[in-house]
Amino acid sequence: MALLLKPRHRLAATGRLLLPRFLCDDAPAPPPETDNDASPAPLSRAETKLLDALHAALLNHRRSHPEVQFPSSPPFDPLPSLSEAISGLLPSPPPAHLPLHIFRRLLELRRGVPLPEAVALFQHLVPALPADSLPDLYAAMIDLLAKHHHFPQARHLLDEMRERAVTISSQLILALIRRYIRAGMSSEASELFRRMEEFGAGTPDPAALACLLRALAKKRLGTEAQALFDSYKSVFTPDVVLYTNLVHAWCRSGRLDEAERVFAEMQQSGIMPNVYTYTAVIDAMYRAGQVPRAQELLCQMIDSGCPPNTATFNAIMRAHVKAGRSEQVLQVHNQMRQLGCEPDIITYNFLIETHCGKGQGNLDAAMKLLAKMVAKGCIPDCHTFNPMFRLVLVLGNVDAAHKLYEKMKELQCKPNVVTYNLLIRLFNMQKSMDMVLRIKKNMDAERVEPNGNTYTALLEVFCARGDWKRAHATLREMVKEKSFEPAKHVYDMVLTLLRKSGQLMKHEELVELMVDRGFISHPADDALWSAC
């Protein structure tokens, strides 16, 4: 069923909406989705040092004992060698809040996670901790297992909580449901949702259902979201929040026809769409290339007395940014100013990305926007700076890179892995090994996990300078610990350097590692030993 689009407000030739000032008030934003878990108590300097040592012990044990496999099903066998190391580090009894910090740190990792060691640590700690600290510790361990798709083990711990009368919160159940959905296990997620009350986590309510619909929307599972929505229609009277999440799920699934059907259905039920319902459909229309229809729906939105907010304009702006339509991005910004909608960090980031993109390449304009957003109290993040670093990389302006990096530190803006990768490439252009090593040291200190591009950039630096020791260690870590598959030109570059340096045993070690990982087939006797 198509939406009835009856625009009264017209678009000027420039694409600017000619709107009255009374539509300038922003609708309130919905509350962010959080797990409502209390943050662990801050650590003292001595406790932070202990946390670092404990984390290092887990990682070192994993490196030293790669043969230890994670159990396919409970129970979990202890690791005596690790237990001895843990006992030597932790006081007895251990600080009640320290274990939660270590498990949250492990949750930050994507690769090279010491899961067998994490389970062994968990089993070592549980008997020694007070009862009131166990719910959060169990929740963190279950989340870690579920993140890495070890759901039978996670459910075993959930059952153990129930048997031991450890409090199971609705936040824990919803977090596990989201992990199921991210793993593509929507039927298991729905089953656990329906069984919430069995675990003492309360009965499913509209807020929990909305949370589940949001998770399904993120995974583009519109059909599953519709089935869940329909199954609870007789339990809860659908409201605008539930309908909006269902509309969003169909939009994210690329089924604009179904989104429009639900949009019309909610209106026929006497439920008026809110700014987020309209924004979801407008965003989907732009993504589908249906720009005129999106503009008409925007006009219908205004006619219905629902003024667009910053999120609406950000959705429109995003479509133009991704399509490289820089002029239209700036026009949307003008529309926002005309309506009195205050730009947020997403708006500023899109504008900066536009100024730094192809056809613009205007670093000065981007820097002026950065100064403006800071002056308005809008705190920049790494996504604010990354387009500028990409531009200075294209321009080869290493001095500008230094200034930008200092500006980030001045604003206490934490770089992400993309930022660090760009900085490594930039300082490689300057042939500054000291700065590259400093950047990598900062990256490790900030616990920003390297990705495949990080390792590639570092290997290019080390090979260009003939540093075979660092090249060998980096490729070894990339393959053995992180299981990243290097591109052929990358491992060829390292192997060639090792051969030239006479490091034939190191060469053979790396070849065997890549064969063991299945990254290359076992070479013929001379396949990787060709003349340099």
Side-chain angles (χ1 to χ4, degrees), residues 207-226:
L209 179 58
C211 177
L212 181 48
L213 289 173
R214 277 196 297 275
L216 290 166
K218 287 181 180 179
K219 288 297 290 184
R220 298 175 169 83
L221 297 172
T223 302
E224 291 81 354
Q226 182 71 63

Side-chain angles (χ1 to χ4, degrees), residues 143-163:
D143 196 30
L144 181 63
L145 291 169
K147 178 182 178 180
H148 297 282
H149 298 181
H150 293 291
F151 292 104
Q153 295 87 339
R155 290 298 289 265
H156 171 78
L157 288 184
L158 191 64
D159 290 335
E160 186 179 294
M161 289 181 76
R162 183 166 52 174
E163 291 166 7

Side-chain angles (χ1 to χ4, degrees), residues 2-7 260 285 292-298 300:
L3 292 169
L4 284 174
L5 300 175
K6 297 181 179 179
E260 293 185 51
M285 286 178 170
R293 295 192 70 222
Q295 291 173 335
E296 289 176 4
L297 183 58
L298 179 62
Q300 179 180 312

Side-chain angles (χ1 to χ4, degrees), residues 43-113:
L43 298 175
S44 66
R45 182 174 297 180
E47 288 172 333
T48 301
K49 190 174 180 180
L50 176 58
L51 175 65
D52 291 339
L54 192 58
H55 189 208
L58 298 181
L59 295 175
N60 289 337
H61 189 275
R62 177 95 303 256
R63 295 187 188 105
S64 304
H65 300 81
E67 74 285 353
V68 176
Q69 298 298 312
F70 190 77
S72 56
S73 61
F76 306 111
D77 294 327
L79 299 176
S81 56
L82 180 66
S83 297
E84 185 179 342
I86 292 171
S87 299
L89 287 170
L90 286 175
S92 182
H97 57 284
L98 182 68
L100 191 55
H101 281 278
I102 186 65
F103 283 103
R104 292 200 171 184
R105 184 177 287 192
L106 292 174
L107 275 163
E108 295 174 0
L109 297 176
R110 294 187 179 186
R111 289 173 176 262
V113 182

